[in-house]
Amino acid sequence: MGHRQRRRRRPGGPAQITAKLAIPFVGEISGTWEPADAERSAAWELYLELVTRVSVEELDPDEGFLREALSSLYTFFNTTREILRRYGPEVAPPLAPGHVSFGVLAVTVLNRVLRPLLAQWHPRLSAYESQRPAGRDPVAYERDWEHAAALRREITAVRATLVSLARTLQEVANVSDLIDLPAPRAPRSPGTSADGGTPPRRSEGY
């Protein structure tokens, strides 16, 4: 009897989607995207970069570190440019009116979303950080910054665009949701109920 042949998943995905991205404080970009194979591969790479960074994680008011978020966005900026260079013109073909491509979406996010945020806030935060007294906790010092709330609001707005981009890339790459993953459950000890207590004693007649 011959060995069982392993099935390989064929690359694929939707032939066409409607892409729409909100640009903070500017408007939105939308259009029809008919992705080529190179765009699907690039979409997976960029999607993976997004879901493994602070870029798409929500910063709660009393949690998170603004410097870490800015650094993550800065690295994502450079990584996106590397992906565009690696795949070349195939991910930015000439388009009919009302259509978009991987290149159009990626460059729009770089130039209209990330660049303005980083250009304005990176030097301002760096200047404030340079004045931190020796021995002062950097997180506490950052939260005392008078502009911390404003920067946090802008990062939140940018995050919404990046999550929207990630959802679009997920659809084109035809992969599962890696953003809203279920939280792992704590292991249960034998003899305990789901809430961690002792399981109730079964009554007579049950």
Side-chain angles (χ1 to χ4, degrees):
M1 187 172 66
H3 67 275
R4 184 177 178 181
Q5 187 175 8
R6 195 185 325 181
R7 293 181 60 188
R8 293 184 60 186
R9 182 183 176 196
R10 295 177 57 191
Q16 175 181 300
I17 71 166
T18 299
K20 182 180 294 185
L21 294 179
I23 310 300
F25 318 113
V26 175
E28 72 174 26
I29 178 174
S30 61
T32 300
W33 185 3
E34 299 174 347
D37 287 343
E39 291 180 278
R40 297 186 198 281
S41 298
W44 161 246
E45 288 194 29
L46 196 58
Y47 177 64
L48 188 60
E49 288 294 326
L50 279 167
V51 300
T52 56
R53 295 184 180 278
V54 180
S55 313
V56 295
E57 293 180 7
E58 189 170 2
L59 289 176
D60 294 330
D62 296 325
E63 296 179 354
F65 192 24
L66 297 177
R67 166 53 63 196
E68 184 181 7
L70 277 187
S71 297
S72 177
L73 292 172
Y74 183 82
T75 307
F76 176 73
F77 187 100
N78 289 333
T79 301
T80 303
R81 289 195 303 185
E82 290 171 8
I83 292 172
L84 287 166
R85 279 198 200 97
R86 186 162 64 253
Y87 284 94
E90 289 186 70
V91 298
L95 298 170
H99 285 64
V100 298
S101 64
F102 177 90
V104 167
L105 296 176
V107 172
T108 298
V109 168
L110 292 186
N111 290 341
R112 299 290 181 88
V113 180
L114 295 181
R115 189 187 299 277
L117 176 78
L118 295 171
Q120 178 184 4
W121 288 103
H122 177 72
R124 294 176 71 180
L125 181 56
S126 295
Y128 177 71
E129 289 171 331
S130 69
Q131 300 171 12
R132 179 170 61 89
R136 180 76 191 279
D137 177 66
V139 176
Y141 180 73
E142 181 186 271
R143 288 175 183 167
D144 287 340
W145 189 31
E146 61 180 326
H147 301 297
L151 173 54
R152 189 176 292 273
R153 284 193 297 270
E154 294 206 22
I155 288 175
T156 298
V158 166
R159 175 188 173 274
T161 298
L162 295 180
V163 170
S164 177
L165 174 63
R167 295 296 184 200
T168 300
L169 297 174
Q170 175 193 342
E171 185 177 356
V172 165
N174 194 30
V175 294
S176 60
D177 181 0
L178 301 178
I179 300 175
D180 294 326
L181 295 174
R185 295 181 179 179
R188 251 193 295 173
S189 300
T192 59
S193 63
D195 61 2
T198 303
R201 186 183 300 274
R202 298 182 68 179
S203 302
E204 292 291 332
Y206 281 82

